Amino acid sequence: MKDKTGKYSLIGSIISSLVVVGIFLGLSLFKNSGRAIPLYTNVDIMAGMLFVFILSIIVSASIWPGIVEKRLK
Amino acid sequence: MKVTIGIFGMTCMHCHKRVTDAISKVKGVKSVDVSLENKGATVDFDESVTNLNAIKKAVTDAGYDVGEKPILKPEPEAQHVASACPVVIKEDKEILEKPVAKHENSASTIITLKISGMTCAACAANIEKVTRKLKGVISSTVNVSVEQASITYEPSLVSQKDIEGAIKSIGYGIVKDKISFDIGGMTCAACAQNIEKVLKKIKGVESVAVNFSLAKAHVEYDSTLVSVADMISAIEGIGYTASGKVDKKESQDRERKAREDEIKKQRSNLIIAVVLGIPISLGDMANMFPNLLWFVPSFLANDRVLFVLTTIIMLFPGRQFFVGTYKGLKHGVTDMNLLIATGTGAAYVVSVAATFLDLGPGYMHTYYETAALLITFIVLGRYLEATTKGKTSEAIRKLIGLAAKTARIIVDGVEKDVPVEDVKVGDIVVMRPGEKLPVDGVVTEGMSAVDESMITGESIPVEKNPGDTVIGSTINKSGSFRFKATKVGSDTALAQIIELVENAQTSKAPIQKIADVVAGHFILAVHMIALLAFFFWFFIGFEAFGVAGSAAFAGVSPFLFSLLISITVLVISCPCAVGLATPAATMVGTGKGAENGILIKGGGPLEMAHKINTIVFDKTGTLTRGEPQLTDVISTASHTEEEVLRMASIAEKGSEHPLGEAIVRGATAHNINAPDADSFKAIAGQGVEAGFGDKRILLGTRKLMSDNGIDAIHLNASMEKMENEGKTAMLIGVDKEAIGIVAVADTLKEHSKEAVDRLYKMGIEVVMITGDNARTASAIAKQVGIDRVLAEVLPQDKANEIKKLQAEGKIVAMVGDGINDAPALTQSDVGIAMGAGTDVAMESAGIVLIKNDLLDVVASIRLSKLTMSKIKQNLFWAFGYNTIGIPLAAGILYPVYHTIIITPALAAAFMAMSSISVTTNSLLMKRSRIK
């Protein structure tokens, strides 16, 4: 049970963080599109994605174990 | 028919009365003579009306067992004869006849509870009755000798908590297995939350209270379900260390050493951070303001030099945050370290990347000073916190420091110095002037004055004579004396006080629940806010508010600006201040109480005491001294008062009645040394008759006089006046003449009136409750200044009277000292027991006043008000700080000022100061006066 919770939580956290990172990337590309001079450089986007991933994984790693535990019960 | 039956379980006069009453009530019983000594009763009854079985049933219904013959085998000695059954439950046939379960269905559960406060078979019967009354309880068996209750119940209908609550409601206690762990590695309130969470998950753990400030965890648990080793491994599993407490002194030494080590460690960290942080800040700022900071050597402005210096800070003072974060994350828990690690780590990584990689436009600036100053300020905060944290638990350390280390006892007739741990109950301890008493005891020889101020707060030394009790850790002032040790080790008053204060400091006030809920979700919420702030400034704010074109951030990239905001949000948020707000004030408050002889048994009573608007005083022993004293002597014209008192004293000298003893004591106080009477006879309900020489002295009621042909009509007015004042007046007749009156009454304690006055001034309604008749009660109430009197209240009805007051919407405190007060103390919102009272009363109360002084009731309410106001101030500052700080950090004012109001470094300084301000504010309470 404990192993399952940990495994599912990790998967859930990674997936949800990747989703948030995906949203960040999508929004960045969307804002840059159609501009002669892009607002965000590649460094901005890459660094932003990394930072967003770190914060998202911290948040989701705190939320997912509770959800998984409830579901498994 | 006359029979003698043996009766088991009687231990005191209360039992004696209970059995006598029970048998007397059986129809057909002519007389009953119960003997405690022989453990039996001789009953004379009419066979045509009743039988032996009915009598036996009456005895068993009263809670005792019966046998055919008197039981001569001695029963185990009751620990406190005086502290018999704390409550008498009304008979309930239905309950009594409820069969003890013979079946145990599959859904039932059996629990064994350890019960405290039981003294005799009636207590066991009471518990059985009250538990069987609960819906869902199948059977209940209470064993008084092993002090255990075995209860079978259906968990779907009733919970263990309900059962325990029912037992507690009638004045008994539930003893839980308890252990205190010393916890290592906690850095903030979130750590305490993490440990609580992990322990609460373990089956068998009843309650957990982790005190971050004391670095302790107090756990109540069921040893049949969980072991201490299990709990330690669970704590260690999430990255902390834990050790079960062995000895208070040793534990205190260990704590002191741990605190000193922590202070030393943080001091070294602070020195490194400051020494390196100053050049880093100057160097970094010299890049921005070269004209202003012309004196800064150019090499300090070099990014590679800044990198080296900052890396040293990150590796040494900053390592603790990363190590803490790693340990926490490994076990799925988050704490303050994560906030700091995320903030400083991000600033450092971005700066390193900007130093060594060509990141393009907008990435020329580095943030080494942000990372360095963040760590410097947080380490400063931790250093100051470590130094101030110890001060909140000073009261306990002071108390432990009071204990004597050695004792001089008599061994084989010779005085011998031994360690205090070797003193046993019964040892004779020798005391000389200036020495500290090692244990509690009773004076056997000699006399002295003892300074008890350290325990009772009373500054005047108390005179001690043979028979008086002495308290360990107090100081013998003037004379030499010997005393017999009665309580040693953990049973001494000092040890009990330390345990009580420790438990109180660890327990949580209900108000802390809000703080706990917030602190528990704080770190997650802060990370979410930081993420949202990052998104907002990256996608909306940066462009909308023209950050790139502002003077302060010209050329900065959207990522760096949003990162800066995000870091500031992470760093300014302080769960510590929220987590410390309540426990810091509770610790100082309960500690201050202990120093003043007021023991508050936890956060609950401490919080409730400030809300009370009605206070009920038990009369006898609480408002009054509890023993009658001679108050008036009136003589007729032909006799002197001295003569009257002398005659009364002669008549009562042989009496053991409390009224007689009061007269003899009063005469002695007036230097009248009365000789013994030649003959003495007590006349039930009327008085006494004594022969002295050729004189016949009668002392007693009007009826006694009239029956003996003595005319006392001329003294009637005085008699009535005294009776109206609630006094017991007795006429004295010598031969055929009434020569005067003596009156005795229970007198008020020294500060009763003053305390009542002060309570009225505080806006609290004062009520007196007593079993006395209305006239006596009113007289006492008038003297003390109480308007509302509840008179003629039977002991078992006191709790009901409290209930009635509560039903009027009042928040009631009950002040009492006797066994019969225990249910009322439990029923009241705050029970206050007088220190000279019984153990049962003190167990039932939330506040115990060591000194028998009613002014301490006022002081305890003041202390509660003071502590609550500090808690509220602390919570206001802690919540207010975060409520204001987080939006500011998130850049809410940027659209107005076009700059970041709070930089990450400033945020770190604010964060550090918030927890220090909460602790310091609590410590200020030490200066306040409560008396």
Side-chain angles (χ1 to χ4, degrees), chain B residues 585-586 589 606 862-871 925:
Chain B
T586 308
L606 185 68
R862 278 199 189 141
L863 180 66
S864 165
K865 287 189 174 179
L866 182 66
T867 311
M868 286 316 294
S869 93
K870 282 288 169 195
I871 289 176
M925 213 176 1

Side-chain angles (χ1 to χ4, degrees), chain B residues 131 149 197 237 250 290 339 355 460 497 518 591 596 640 674 739 755 784 827:
Chain B
T131 46
K197 265 185 218 163
E250 189 188 309
L339 293 172
T355 305
I460 303 162
I497 291 169
V518 175
N596 286 280
T640 63
I739 64 165
V784 79
Q827 174 61 40

Side-chain angles (χ1 to χ4, degrees), chain A residues 20 24 27-28 31 35 39-40 43-44 47-48 51-52 55-56 58-59 62-63, chain B residues 338 342 346 359 363 524 527-528 530-531 534-535 538-539 543 557-559 563 566:
Chain A
V20 179
F24 178 82
L27 283 171
S28 304
K31 290 259 303 183
R35 287 172 186 258
L39 180 62
Y40 309 119
V43 176
D44 284 335
F51 187 65
V52 166
L55 287 189
S56 309
I58 290 169
V59 171
S62 306
I63 295 171
Chain B
L338 180 63
T342 319
L359 298 175
Y363 287 92
L524 173 66
H527 276 90
M528 284 170 107
L531 188 61
F534 182 82
F535 264 77
F538 192 84
F539 292 114
E543 202 179 12
S557 77
F559 168 72
L563 181 74
S566 203

Side-chain angles (χ1 to χ4, degrees), chain B residues 112-115 118 120-121 123-125 127-128 140-150:
Chain B
T112 303
L113 299 172
K114 289 177 193 164
I115 314 279
M118 289 198 292
C120 64
C123 298
I127 294 170
E128 284 179 2
S140 173
T141 316
V142 180
N143 186 325
V144 71
S145 55
V146 294
E147 295 187 306
Q148 278 188 356
S150 175

